[in-house]
Amino acid sequence: MGTHRENADAQAAGAAAGAVREPDWERVRGDFPVLHRLVRGRPLVYFDNAATTQKPAIVIRTECEYYGTCTANVHRAIHFMAEEATRRYEAVRAAAARFVDAPGAASTVVTRGTTEAINLVARGWAIPRLKPGDRILVTGMEHHSNLVPWQMAARATGAELRSIPVDDAGELDLRRLPELLGNRTRLLALTHVSNVLGTVNPVRQLADAAHAAGAAVLVDAAQSVAHMPVSMAALGADFLAFSGHKMCGPTGVGFLCARPERLEEMEPVFGGGEMIARVEETESTWAEIPHRFEAGTPNIAGVIGMGAAFEVFSELGMDAVQRRDAMLTRVALEQLAAVPGLRIVGAAPDRIGVVAFALEDAHPHDVAQLLDRDGIAIRAGHMCAQPLLRRFGHAALNRASLAFYNRPEEFDVLAESLVRARRALAGGRE
Ligand code: PMP
């Protein structure tokens, strides 16, 4: 019997003894319609949660309800439905700020996702204020979304872009941090959790060092928000970006939470309706923050649906989600480590359930394709982190990433399928 079952049993026993009240995870899982479907005649095993998560019925229903009950534009009209839509939309902004312990709704910008949030800061904050010789510091484990916008900002301003290296275990190598920060770093932009290695970075320690060196701090929380409690205050972030679709919400919804003074320093990036105070023939003045960063009609239905996703997580409790994640991660690592010829990339002790691996003598795309035949969804490719993969000597990898609704038994299915895939790809017989 695998120790992951013992872990699960121990957790259940702890819950029964009243030590911790765990959610009924099978019931929770039951609320996700997609998880009931068959894929290629097999029960779906969904391990591509770092790319996007599945949606519970309440999120789907809430999004549809907006269209069925109160379709109206927000902020624009004085009529019953517009007021209702605006009230519901603004309530989600407030929920987002509460969810990540941000300074408040008034400094929380609704975006299409993490990518747009980071680009807003690059264009609206960094480009107008950086000078040649200033420095932007990132890490060697950034998703392209938290790297390319800084490359663009550096190119536009003459600032230099530097990167904190990653060690063999997949953790940040902080030995040269003081030198890398120097005295010209204006911004440290780093991911809370790596979307490839699952490493949880010591953000607070880095933020304190950055602030002491006079730099602002942007945290990419895309991969952390669905796995652990996230507090912008505790992390010491000036900006924090995340996406709704990675935490059971709709696609096309994300948030940029900021310290109000940072948002006041930022220039609008998109011009148009809703972001202005007064428009003359040749010039305009801006609306208050955060509205000055939200030109045009937003994804109203998606934002309202996102409100239901925040409620789901709040009801589960992020501590319970984190415990579930830790248990499932242990199972994932155990089961994958037992597959012959499989090498896990990254060995950080502080990690979440995102596991990158390489199967000996097999191309990651072939592996993913064979697993797909068994109804198992994993990722293959560079995972939008090409510099990081190169650091580990790979052009592509496989990645299994979990969510709280995964079952420990699904890792047995994954491991068995990987063993078969390896045999098949090595030319053996299945
Ligand atoms: N940062 C990280 C760490 C991510 O994992 C992702 C999504 N894979 C992003 C940023 C980009 O998020 P989105 O595509 O939702 O904008």
Side-chain angles (χ1 to χ4, degrees), residues 50-51 112-116 118 142-143 145-146 191 193-195 220-223 243 245-246 379 383-384 399:
R112 284 189 301 132
T114 307
T115 304
E116 184 176 293
I118 294 171
E142 298 310 317
H143 186 280
S145 292
N146 197 31
T191 195
V193 169
S194 162
N195 69 307
D220 173 351
Q223 290 296 343
S243 299
H245 71 94
K246 291 188 198 282
R379 183 74 186 264
M383 286 165 278
C384 299
R399 178 185 71 190

Side-chain angles (χ1 to χ4, degrees), residues 1-13 327 330-331 334:
M1 181 156 136
T3 55
H4 60 279
R5 295 224 174 69
E6 287 153 24
N7 289 334
D9 290 349
Q11 201 173 52
M327 184 275 282
R330 275 197 301 274
V331 177
E334 261 172 42

